[in-house]
Amino acid sequence: KQIHYSRTTKLRIIVSKALDRNDEYLYSPETGFIKGETLVNLYKTPGGYSAGDDQSLCGLSAELQATVGGASTAIYWEAADGLSFSDPQAAATQVSANQPGTYPLTFVQENGPCRVSDEMTLTLLGQPSAALYSDSEICGSGQAEFTASLQGNGPWKLELSYDSSIDAIQDPEHLFNRAIEGPSTLSITKVTDSNNCSTLYSGEEGTVAEVVDLTPVLGSITGESEICGSQITLHIEAHPGSGSWSLLPGSAGTADFSEVNDPETLVSVDTQGSYAFRWTQNNKGCEKQADFETTFFFPLQATDFTAGPDITLYQRDQYRLQASLPEGAVGLWTIESGSGNVLDPDNPHSEIT
């Protein structure tokens, strides 16, 4: 017998009356006994179900949203090896792959013994990645070499800091140069592959390359600009690397350094006058220099200068004095007794009246 029903239901079939060929009751409802019965579960085949549209997207995971059609006793996803689901028994779930590729997916809906399914195709294009490295060292400025390591589907476009970019990179290990001034860093901001899939970066580890500037850092040389004597202590703060002291040409005489390679040294000179000293710091062949000038004045002895010969003037009220001084020395005239006027007290040959 054909039965029409609109939803899953249970059908109970009982044998309540039976007649023999003589139309006599074999079983009668009046007896109060049911001679036979059976239960039949009737399930409606689901309709309107769907696995969703085919998808093609960047990355290695996707969000799935199936449509469940009517009543069901079970729903689940089926897929080939290499895919995993966050919840394979949910219509809305996330699927992930170990590597890029095109994967067939089947959404299954069961309602009792009724089983229906729908298929979709998922294409995961993967996500490009990039790393940047440099072991270049410069001296103040120069060309630095960088290595970009790229993964994904090439060719790639690499976008870098300072609004620079490199297009159509074919080699996964790409070498390139940049002009660099001083200590500097270069970083990847974005990488795009041939599928137009992009990954953004903002200073993550491995995406920033540092170029080392070997230029030494020097402070100012400290010491007296004028000194009475023949020795001076010079000091400078300098790093990294090592350095040495030297005497520049044009100095008044020769100089001896107690520690020529020590940033703090005692300098002895042999002649009074002006001297120019230089500290040169060297860091792996990169040099930087600092200079210092000072003037030495040796203490005077009585024999080093003279006021000139004694003289007696007759019928005269003016005279030009005849003092002599060592080079670089200065003197001052004073009147010890009597009256008069020294016109230029600082001049060894001043007139007196």
Side-chain angles (χ1 to χ4, degrees), residues 100-121:
T102 298
Y103 300 91
L105 298 173
T106 302
F107 175 69
V108 179
Q109 181 175 348
E110 295 180 354
N111 190 27
C114 302
R115 184 183 187 276
V116 293
S117 63
D118 186 37
E119 294 184 351
M120 66 167 290
T121 299

Side-chain angles (χ1 to χ4, degrees), residues 23-247:
D23 289 333
E24 294 181 0
Y25 286 104
L26 297 177
Y27 309 122
S28 173
E30 289 77 10
T31 64
F33 296 102
I34 298 175
K35 298 303 181 180
E37 68 176 347
T38 185
L39 294 177
V40 179
N41 290 320
L42 301 176
Y43 294 91
K44 185 173 179 63
T45 301
Y49 53 90
S50 173
D53 296 333
D54 293 343
Q55 296 187 50
S56 178
L57 66 164
C58 299
L60 291 175
S61 64
E63 299 292 333
L64 303 180
Q65 181 62 65
T67 300
V68 179
S72 63
T73 56
I75 59 172
Y76 52 91
W77 290 92
E78 293 179 342
D81 293 340
L83 290 181
S84 60
F85 296 89
S86 60
D87 184 357
Q89 296 180 337
T93 188
Q94 184 183 71
V95 62
S96 301
N98 295 324
Q99 59 186 7
T102 298
Y103 300 91
L105 298 173
T106 302
F107 175 69
V108 179
Q109 181 175 348
E110 295 180 354
N111 190 27
C114 302
R115 184 183 187 276
V116 293
S117 63
D118 186 37
E119 294 184 351
M120 66 167 290
T121 299
L122 175 64
T123 300
L124 296 175
L125 301 174
Q127 200 74 27
S129 64
L132 192 63
Y133 171 77
S134 177
D135 59 359
S136 293
E137 295 175 333
I138 61 172
C139 184
S141 63
Q143 290 287 324
E145 185 176 81
F146 297 87
T147 301
S149 298
L150 304 165
Q151 293 184 347
N153 298 302
W156 298 267
K157 177 181 180 180
L158 198 61
E159 297 182 38
L160 306 167
S161 52
Y162 308 109
D163 296 324
S164 60
S165 63
I166 307 173
D167 295 328
I169 301 174
Q170 301 290 338
D171 192 346
E173 293 292 320
H174 180 68
L175 302 179
F176 63 97
N177 294 328
R178 281 289 186 275
I180 300 297
E181 292 281 344
S184 182
T185 59
L186 187 67
S187 59
I188 299 173
T189 59
K190 183 179 180 181
V191 60
T192 304
D193 65 11
S194 59
N195 293 319
N196 205 31
C197 296
S198 299
T199 301
L200 299 177
Y201 296 102
S202 56
E204 289 82 355
E205 184 178 359
T207 64
V208 180
E210 181 179 2
V211 177
V212 177
D213 184 3
L214 297 176
T215 303
V217 178
L218 300 184
S220 299
I221 299 175
T222 58
E224 299 89 346
S225 59
E226 292 183 345
I227 189 167
C228 180
S230 61
Q231 292 184 325
I232 187 174
T233 297
L234 300 179
H235 176 81
I236 186 171
E237 294 290 339
H239 66 276
S242 59
S244 62
W245 293 100
S246 60
L247 179 67

